[in-house]
Amino acid sequence: MKLKKKPKILLITLIILVVVISGFLVYKTVFNKQEVQEAKVVNQIKKYGYTLKDNKSKKYKELFGELKKILDKDDVDQEEYVKKISEMFIYDFYSLSDKTAKTDVGGVDFIHQDIIENFLQNAENTFYKYVESNIYDNRKQKLPTVEKVTIESIEKTDFSYNDKEADEAYEVKVNWTYTDSDYSDYQKEATLIFVKEDIKELLVELQ
């Protein structure tokens, strides 16, 4: 009779063990879950649809403030406008250290809607491909940060897109440096083409 009771005792023990483990996992999931902080809008240029979120770096916030001053004027200097968003695009796109994942692509505020899908796909498959997730702010991966952007030249140019000639287009040549020499072999120069639609200047080509 005693030998027949052992399987029953073993079954009860296993059930208790499963309940304890399940309870522990539920506790870890529900009560000990790390919170994902959502970025909040802290500044904006309503007329142009530009927004600034609190997760941007101090440098980018400074650049946004400079852009706002340019666009708040009654008579906007288009070249100054294009130069500033060129600087902002390079700083935001090529700085990876403040990005939360490979899908958190910088500079999208300045991209023409017609090329945004292709732009994001290319970015995620190339420059952003190996960016590890940092949604819980615990990433150990070392990533580049742009230090200084220099506008080499800006001039009006002819440019066609969507089977039409742009009324106004700018070609901007830029170069930049990184805060760490470890990234000296990364891209450090580019040519950007902007076209004007309504009041906004939009990036349509990056070389």
Side-chain angles (χ1 to χ4, degrees):
M1 293 294 291
K2 290 182 179 180
L3 290 175
K4 291 182 179 179
K5 290 183 179 179
K6 284 185 179 180
K8 187 174 181 180
I9 295 173
L10 180 60
L11 179 61
I12 293 173
T13 303
L14 286 173
I15 292 173
I16 293 172
L17 185 61
V18 169
V19 171
V20 170
I21 293 175
S22 298
F24 177 75
L25 291 175
V26 169
Y27 174 82
K28 289 283 286 183
T29 302
V30 177
F31 298 101
N32 199 33
K33 185 178 179 180
Q34 290 175 289
E35 292 185 3
V36 178
Q37 298 296 324
E38 291 187 8
K40 298 178 181 179
V41 174
V42 293
N43 202 350
Q44 56 186 323
I45 307 172
K46 291 184 179 180
K47 186 176 180 180
Y48 288 79
Y50 296 129
T51 58
L52 175 67
K53 294 185 177 180
D54 61 0
N55 61 346
K56 292 297 184 183
S57 68
K58 180 180 178 181
K59 175 63 177 178
Y60 190 84
K61 289 175 181 177
E62 291 174 359
L63 293 173
F64 190 92
E66 293 168 7
L67 175 64
K68 190 170 185 177
K69 288 180 180 179
I70 292 172
L71 298 181
D72 278 347
K73 294 180 180 179
D74 293 331
D75 187 15
V76 175
D77 186 323
Q78 292 301 127
E79 285 200 7
E80 289 302 310
Y81 172 20
V82 173
K83 286 195 289 186
K84 186 54 60 181
I85 60 176
S86 295
E87 186 179 359
M88 294 173 72
F89 171 80
I90 295 297
Y91 189 87
D92 197 24
F93 181 76
Y94 290 97
S95 292
L96 301 180
S97 57
D98 62 340
K99 304 304 185 290
T100 57
K102 63 176 287 186
T103 54
D104 184 18
V105 179
V108 294
D109 288 348
F110 311 110
I111 303 296
H112 195 291
Q113 191 60 39
D114 289 350
I115 68 166
I116 188 68
E117 185 176 343
N118 186 58
F119 172 79
L120 290 172
Q121 186 177 49
N122 287 338
E124 291 170 24
N125 290 332
T126 54
F127 196 67
Y128 281 70
K129 186 174 183 178
Y130 300 106
V131 176
E132 297 174 0
S133 175
N134 193 38
I135 59 173
Y136 296 121
D137 197 28
N138 58 0
R139 182 174 58 204
K140 303 299 181 183
Q141 184 184 25
K142 190 176 181 182
L143 294 166
T145 300
V146 172
E147 182 175 36
K148 182 180 180 181
V149 181
T150 302
I151 307 296
E152 291 184 337
S153 65
I154 177 172
E155 58 183 16
K156 286 188 176 181
T157 187
D158 296 324
F159 190 83
S160 297
Y161 70 106
N162 292 340
D163 298 323
K164 67 178 182 179
E165 185 77 17
D167 294 330
E168 180 179 282
Y170 285 95
E171 179 183 89
V172 188
K173 294 184 182 296
V174 295
N175 62 61
W176 61 94
T177 58
Y178 295 97
T179 57
D180 196 311
S181 60
D182 288 348
Y183 308 104
S184 59
D185 60 341
Y186 277 48
Q187 184 177 351
K188 297 187 291 293
E189 59 182 20
T191 298
L192 291 68
I193 303 291
F194 288 88
V195 298
K196 187 177 182 181
E197 286 199 357
D198 194 11
I199 62 173
K200 292 186 73 171
E201 296 286 352
L202 298 166
L203 182 63
V204 290
E205 190 170 297
L206 171 65
Q207 302 173 358

